[in-house]
Amino acid sequence: MEKEKLRVMRDDPVMFSKLVLKFNPFDYQEKLLRDDSDRLIAISGRQIGKSTCSAIKLIHFAITHPKTTSIIVSATLRQSMETFSKVLDFINSSILKDSVKRMTKTHILFKNRSRIICLPSGRYGSTLRGLTVSFALIDEASFIHEEVITQAILPMLATTHGKIWMLTTPYDKDHITYRCFNSQNWSVYHLPSSVSPLIKKEFLDEQRQLIGEERFRLEYLAEFVDDVNSYFPMTLLRPCFEDCLEDLKSDKEYFAGYDPGSKESFAAIVVVERLKDHIYTRYFRAAKNIPYSQFTVEISDLHKKFGLVNLAIDMTGLGNPIVEHAKEIGLPVTGFNLTQRFKEELLSNLRILFEQKKISLPQNLQLINSLNCIEYQRTRTGGYQFSHRIGTSDDLAYALALACWAVKEYSGKGILMGI
Ligand SMILES: Nc1ncnc2c1ncn2[C@@H]1O[C@H](COP(=O)(O)OP(=O)(O)OP(=O)(O)O)[C@@H](O)[C@H]1O
Ligand SMILES: [Mg+2]
């Protein structure tokens, strides 16, 4: 009987999950767990339990395949550690604790000499090279630069004939995730958030109102975005994702951009740090229906604590009194009218920073979406006309562009000239 039980647990990850991890997967998670294809892609909405499910699959694989290496890769270490922490939680709260030889926050070695490692892909995949892998789990693959997947991750599986799973919320169509999603050679799943019995319709309705239609379609309905007219397409942004949000410190050189928004739109502030000729996005916040005075106090507090070097404010519309007020309270501020011409210069400066990979962005959907939603059209005079897709907000993007402009203004010839 015991032997039979062991055989079942070895052959069936679902029974393994129930009996060993004491975790009951939902129906669609059972399907994923039992899927033995070497190439699997699940395009899913938020919070359906994809990281949890992949953690179970990885543990089962490691336990049943001695001497193998499995990896969890995401664009940033923060993201892959989040999934890895689910692996650790399962192991620490089950009998598998006794099967572990060594365990750290990013690495487990089992007594059967299998290991699971969690890694960031980094911009160029350099953290990954040199590994030979039997199972690569790419969590939130949509945010990883495609070349890292094709040139660093897939080759690791060459000699082991290993498995690759990509589980991700979707993004643009100009990416390997979209092509795999439409490929005959991959086992394909489409799982909107409504599949999860834990997610109620009322919650989804509320989110639709709060985050806007476009982000809702992406994050909860798991639909790809068409970003061919984007001024900041995902292919441009992807190589710039990095863990860069951090607690601000008073000995650093910070610059800020502030878009006060209007009644209907968001007010947004972004703080960046210049370090040599690179810009790191360190802090951002956007909110609707907040009185200007509250944001001004917030910026003033930021300045008192961390000493902003330069602050650029959009003073189009109602922004002028804000600039005056900010000057009165001693902030190092410059106000800008966002005329068509100036918008072109402002966004073009930011775009060049992305093209030259001189800026780092956190992997945050609100910020990414705010940039990606900006579309452009050429005008008859050869300039650009900007708009943003319906149901999106571009306020954070403008605040970021202003913060980078504040760096450029302060640095004379500007960061692009090699200060
Ligand atoms: N079968 C299940 N039974 C009970 N709770 C579950 C189940 N699967 C997932 N959950 C819970 O649902 C929540 C979301 O799970 P998880 O983080 O794995 O989802 P995700 O799809 O990776 O989310 P995100 O989109 O934020 O990355 C967690 O609290 C997890 O414990
Ligand atoms: Mg997840």
Side-chain angles (χ1 to χ4, degrees):
M1 178 62 191
E2 272 309 298
K3 248 187 171 175
E4 174 60 13
K5 213 168 165 185
L6 279 175
R7 192 193 59 74
V8 167
M9 284 191 291
R10 188 196 61 210
D11 293 347
D12 185 3
V14 172
M15 291 313 288
F16 171 83
S17 174
K18 291 182 183 177
L19 297 172
V20 180
L21 306 178
K22 312 285 181 220
F23 184 86
N24 290 328
F26 298 132
D27 292 354
Y28 57 92
Q29 290 172 322
E30 289 194 356
K31 268 194 199 142
L32 281 167
L33 287 170
R34 287 193 170 126
D35 191 322
D36 227 9
S37 325
D38 284 340
R39 302 282 180 266
L40 183 150
I41 182 154
I43 297 295
S44 91
R46 296 288 317 275
Q47 287 286 299
I48 63 137
K50 53 188 170 306
S51 300
T52 306
C53 185
S54 42
I56 298 169
K57 183 76 175 180
L58 277 180
I59 297 170
H60 181 260
F61 184 86
I63 294 288
T64 54
H65 295 78
K67 296 188 204 163
T68 51
T69 298
S70 301
I71 55 169
I72 299 176
V73 190
S74 293
T76 61
L77 185 61
R78 178 197 288 249
Q79 178 74 51
S80 60
M81 279 177 78
E82 214 162 286
T83 311
F84 190 69
S85 70
K86 295 186 195 290
V87 173
L88 295 181
D89 289 348
F90 276 128
I91 289 173
N92 283 325
S93 56
S94 71
I95 49 163
L96 292 178
K97 224 170 19 183
D98 299 334
S99 322
V100 172
K101 187 162 182 207
R102 240 191 346 261
M103 189 190 282
T104 70
K105 279 184 178 168
T106 55
H107 188 165
I108 295 178
L109 178 65
F110 292 96
K111 287 181 181 159
N112 72 358
R113 292 172 62 196
S114 281
R115 51 183 187 156
I116 304 176
I117 309 171
C118 98
L119 295 154
S121 73
R123 294 178 168 201
Y124 309 106
S126 49
T127 43
L128 307 170
R129 278 177 232 277
L131 282 171
T132 301
V133 164
S134 298
F135 193 163
L137 174 88
I138 315 189
D139 200 15
E140 295 301 353
S142 295
F143 300 92
I144 298 187
H145 188 31
E146 173 159 339
E147 282 173 19
V148 174
I149 299 178
T150 55
Q151 292 175 24
I153 300 177
L154 281 168
M156 292 172 170
L157 308 167
T159 55
T160 58
H161 312 292
K163 254 183 206 315
I164 182 167
W165 273 30
M166 296 204 269
L167 294 100
T168 186
T169 34
Y171 215 100
D172 59 318
K173 297 178 178 172
D174 189 12
H175 191 245
I176 187 169
T177 45
Y178 184 68
R179 291 194 298 281
C180 294
F181 184 63
N182 288 299
S183 160
Q184 307 276 332
N185 304 325
W186 285 64
S187 183
V188 175
Y189 294 80
H190 184 249
L191 302 163
S193 296
S194 54
V195 294
S196 167
L198 300 177
I199 301 178
K200 299 274 169 281
K201 185 180 176 303
E202 295 72 36
F203 173 82
L204 293 174
D205 291 345
E206 182 191 46
Q207 283 297 305
R208 194 173 217 139
Q209 289 296 321
L210 280 176
I211 65 174
E213 182 66 18
E214 165 145 342
R215 246 182 84 196
F216 182 80
R217 299 180 84 87
L218 187 91
E219 286 188 48
Y220 292 97
L221 302 184
E223 290 178 8
F224 284 88
V225 170
D226 198 345
D227 79 344
V228 281
N229 295 320
S230 282
Y231 193 65
F232 300 103
M234 272 300 266
T235 43
L236 181 73
L237 303 180
R238 265 190 202 96
C240 298
F241 298 143
E242 192 174 353
D243 285 316
C244 53
L245 290 180
E246 58 176 45
D247 291 336
L248 306 181
K249 300 186 184 80
S250 54
D251 59 342
K252 303 279 181 74
E253 211 174 41
Y254 294 120
F255 299 80
Y258 175 36
D259 176 356
S262 65
K263 251 195 176 148
E264 293 80 39
S265 64
F266 286 76
I269 177 160
V270 173
V271 178
V272 299
E273 180 189 349
R274 181 186 69 166
L275 208 59
K276 296 191 180 140
D277 65 348
H278 195 90
I279 290 179
Y280 295 88
T281 310
R282 296 297 192 203
Y283 171 89
F284 68 89
R285 195 165 98 83
K288 227 177 198 174
N289 301 325
I290 290 199
Y292 296 147
S293 52
Q294 194 176 320
F295 252 87
T296 317
V297 169
E298 197 171 317
I299 296 167
S300 169
D301 283 350
L302 279 172
H303 179 57
K304 265 190 220 138
K305 279 191 203 148
F306 311 110
L308 299 173
V309 176
N310 198 10
L311 165 65
I313 295 185
D314 170 10
M315 63 174 190
T316 327
L318 296 172
N320 207 2
I322 297 175
V323 174
E324 290 310 315
H325 179 64
K327 279 183 182 159
E328 271 165 31
I329 58 175
L331 293 175
V333 60
T334 319
F336 295 94
N337 262 313
L338 264 65
T339 57
Q340 195 53 42
R341 191 61 208 265
F342 182 61
K343 271 189 189 176
E344 257 180 59
E345 283 188 59
L346 187 68
L347 295 185
S348 155
N349 179 56
L350 182 58
R351 198 182 141 107
I352 294 168
L353 286 170
F354 280 116
E355 281 168 0
Q356 299 189 336
K357 304 186 179 49
K358 286 189 168 181
I359 182 165
S360 297
L361 271 192
Q363 187 193 316
N364 174 283
L365 265 174
Q366 189 185 13
L367 189 60
I368 294 168
N369 211 244
S370 167
L371 286 157
N372 186 258
C373 74
I374 296 178
E375 298 195 324
Y376 71 97
Q377 267 188 319
R378 298 307 298 261
T379 61
R380 261 188 268 159
T381 51
Y384 288 100
Q385 177 96 40
F386 296 103
S387 58
H388 61 99
R389 295 196 287 271
I390 297 168
T392 60
S393 49
D394 56 4
D395 312 273
L396 271 172
Y398 278 98
L400 176 65
L402 283 163
C404 294
W405 193 262
V407 176
K408 182 179 163 78
E409 287 253 302
Y410 180 78
S411 316
K413 280 186 292 174
I415 195 156
L416 305 176
M417 313 295 284
I419 30 170

